[in-house]
Amino acid sequence: MFISRGSGSLCLYRQARFRPSFTLRSVSSKTYDPLRILFCGSDEFSIASLKALHAEHVKQPDRIASIDVVCRPGKRVGRGLKQIREVPIKAAATKLSLPIHEIDTFTGWKPPILPEGPINLIVAVSFGLFVPPRILHGAKYGGLNVHPSLLPDFRGPAPLHHTLLAGRSMTGVTLQTLHLQHFDHGIILAQSPSPGFAVPNPDSCTVPELLDVVAPKGADILVEGIRKGLFAPPVEDAGWYSSEHNELTHAAKIKPEDRHIDWANWTWTDISRRHRVLGPLWSKSLVFGQPTGHIPTFQQRRVILSEFEEVQPLKGSEAFALVPGLPFIDGEHTVKSDSGKGVYVFTRDGRLIKIHQMKVEGQQNADALRAALKAGMIGSRTFSSYDAPFAPFHNPLC
């Protein structure tokens, strides 16, 4: 408690509650003015922190006097770009009746001046835009950020994805100051105690499942940090995690190329983990094009592997394991007799994948063999058992 509410302190409490310039004393003996917060956010992770701050504002308006919300403008999407997709935090802020400022750049923009005075603390959580020094210098207490990892590990815009891709069983959250020049290089004010907390079911955990765990913990560490006045000078570095615990990983932005299967280097664990964390993976393959005279032509098309599983090796298929990424089919079949037949491919570590569903560029998602036949990845003749009519998925020229 910042101010005692006992009978002997009731008068003092009432005075503090209605005097905006009153200086509060935290349990850590730091003092700070009632906070006028500019909260910059976007997604579900930031929404959890915003809701927690708002609850603290309602409970302790003498600690948090006001909250303004900054978010990115909605983007036009869909056919003809007729629909506008708003960032999730806008709806959350509207429901909480908080002032909203939509900006796509800080250039030329100034924070609002409130009747009680200027914004004195910037809080950026999963925002995406870099808060410039001009804005931070204008706030008496600078800025705070909540990051869903044990910094300095997994610095970057996609820490949850990379935590799961690295197969980590432990993770954490960090409260840091906003650095004047770089993302995720601020002073660590608070961090999940060593060794962090467990990733739920690390062998099957998805990003939404991990988000459900880290979001409330991030909100808690933010509110607790504000209660203790950790942002008030002099700030102290509370970081404990280092490269001695694990090799530090940069959590780079997830790009489409991250789902492009590297058959020559990825093991079954790599492939299955990326499929779980990033979504459907893709590769490339040569398909038959329109012939020029009597000369067949080929085109390179993207192939999305939407559904697959690891299976036991098939008898007689050992030769295909020598070329990871070379698809083959089992049994004899024709275009009209392909029921139950499968498309298979070996990984670098000799594990066999059966592809159930795939989407060839320009076609609909379908049964893997039917999709291959329709796209012209294989011919319409009958193939004998374990024939290999495909070009390899992994092509050095791709």
Side-chain angles (χ1 to χ4, degrees):
M1 295 285 294
F2 282 73
I3 302 173
S4 172
R5 300 197 184 192
S7 58
S9 303
L10 182 58
C11 181
L12 175 61
Y13 167 70
R14 287 175 175 170
Q15 291 176 358
R17 183 176 175 86
F18 296 102
R19 288 172 55 188
S21 61
F22 186 79
T23 299
L24 297 173
R25 181 173 297 275
S26 75
V27 294
S28 61
S29 299
K30 287 189 177 182
T31 59
Y32 60 92
D33 300 333
L35 298 176
R36 296 177 292 275
I37 296 175
L38 187 69
F39 187 95
C40 308
S42 60
D43 57 13
E44 297 299 327
F45 183 68
S46 52
I47 288 174
S49 291
L50 177 63
K51 289 181 176 179
L53 280 182
H54 180 263
E56 188 73 1
H57 160 64
V58 172
K59 181 181 178 181
Q60 297 282 2
D62 47 349
R63 176 182 289 136
I64 299 178
S66 66
I67 304 173
D68 279 59
V69 176
V70 172
C71 65
R72 308 285 289 274
K75 293 184 178 180
R76 292 191 174 275
V77 297
R79 187 182 298 273
L81 301 179
K82 295 180 179 180
Q83 295 180 336
I84 297 179
R85 179 182 297 165
E86 305 285 4
V87 292
I89 202 169
K90 182 178 179 180
T94 300
K95 190 173 182 179
L96 296 174
S97 300
L98 297 175
I100 301 172
H101 311 272
E102 296 183 71
I103 62 173
D104 214 12
T105 176
F106 281 104
T107 301
W109 185 82
K110 296 180 179 180
I113 302 296
L114 307 175
E116 298 81 6
I119 295 293
N120 57 9
L121 179 66
I122 313 297
V123 177
V125 182
S126 190
F127 183 45
L129 285 180
F130 186 79
V131 181
R134 172 179 62 86
I135 301 293
L136 294 177
H137 285 316
K140 179 177 180 178
Y141 299 114
L144 293 177
N145 166 259
V146 182
H147 193 78
S149 79
L150 295 172
L151 290 174
D153 205 16
F154 297 110
R155 282 176 171 148
L160 299 185
H161 294 80
H162 286 277
T163 295
L164 296 178
L165 289 176
R168 297 289 176 82
S169 60
M170 302 295 292
T171 188
V173 293
T174 299
L175 178 67
Q176 63 173 333
T177 63
L178 288 176
H179 196 273
L180 294 174
Q181 295 178 321
H182 305 289
F183 282 109
D184 303 331
H185 280 73
I187 299 172
I188 295 176
L189 304 178
Q191 199 161 40
S192 300
S194 178
F197 51 81
V199 173
N201 305 311
D203 292 334
S204 61
C205 187
T206 63
V207 171
E209 290 170 346
L210 184 55
L211 176 63
D212 288 342
V213 174
V214 300
K217 291 184 180 296
D220 289 344
I221 203 171
L222 173 61
V223 171
E224 187 64 21
I226 286 180
R227 287 174 180 169
K228 293 181 178 180
L230 298 182
F231 53 87
V235 297
E236 299 179 4
D237 192 335
W240 60 265
Y241 195 94
S242 69
S243 57
E244 295 178 359
H245 297 84
N246 271 304
E247 182 179 352
L248 300 182
T249 301
H250 176 61
K253 180 180 179 180
I254 299 300
K255 301 178 180 179
E257 190 64 25
D258 294 320
R259 296 188 291 112
H260 186 180
I261 303 176
D262 183 352
W263 294 104
N265 295 298
W266 290 6
T267 65
W268 161 249
T269 298
D270 296 325
I271 292 172
S272 60
R273 184 178 290 165
R274 286 189 179 241
H275 181 75
R276 166 168 51 89
V277 175
L278 304 182
L281 306 181
W282 60 275
S283 192
K284 291 183 178 180
S285 182
L286 292 177
V287 302
F288 290 104
Q290 295 295 328
T292 303
H294 297 288
I295 302 176
T297 61
F298 297 91
Q299 298 176 343
Q300 191 176 82
R301 291 190 182 180
R302 178 175 298 196
V303 179
I304 300 175
L305 309 184
S306 50
E307 183 181 339
F308 57 84
E309 66 173 332
E310 182 193 10
V311 296
Q312 294 299 315
L314 302 174
K315 183 178 180 181
S317 65
E318 296 83 1
F320 294 104
L322 300 176
V323 186
L326 178 65
F328 63 95
I329 51 180
D330 67 318
E332 296 184 356
H333 61 276
T334 65
V335 174
K336 297 181 180 180
S337 179
D338 56 359
S339 178
K341 306 303 179 183
V343 176
Y344 297 83
V345 61
F346 276 99
T347 64
R348 187 201 64 141
D349 55 340
R351 311 283 277 274
L352 183 61
I353 296 175
K354 182 176 182 179
I355 305 171
H356 294 289
Q357 299 280 323
M358 71 182 189
K359 181 181 184 302
V360 181
E361 183 180 350
Q363 305 291 341
Q364 296 293 320
N365 188 58
D367 171 83
L369 184 55
R370 290 183 181 273
L373 291 167
K374 184 177 181 179
M377 292 172 64
I378 58 178
S380 60
R381 66 181 178 87
T382 299
F383 295 101
S384 61
S385 182
Y386 307 120
D387 196 359
F390 297 99
F393 280 141
H394 176 72
N395 190 321
L397 300 179
C398 294

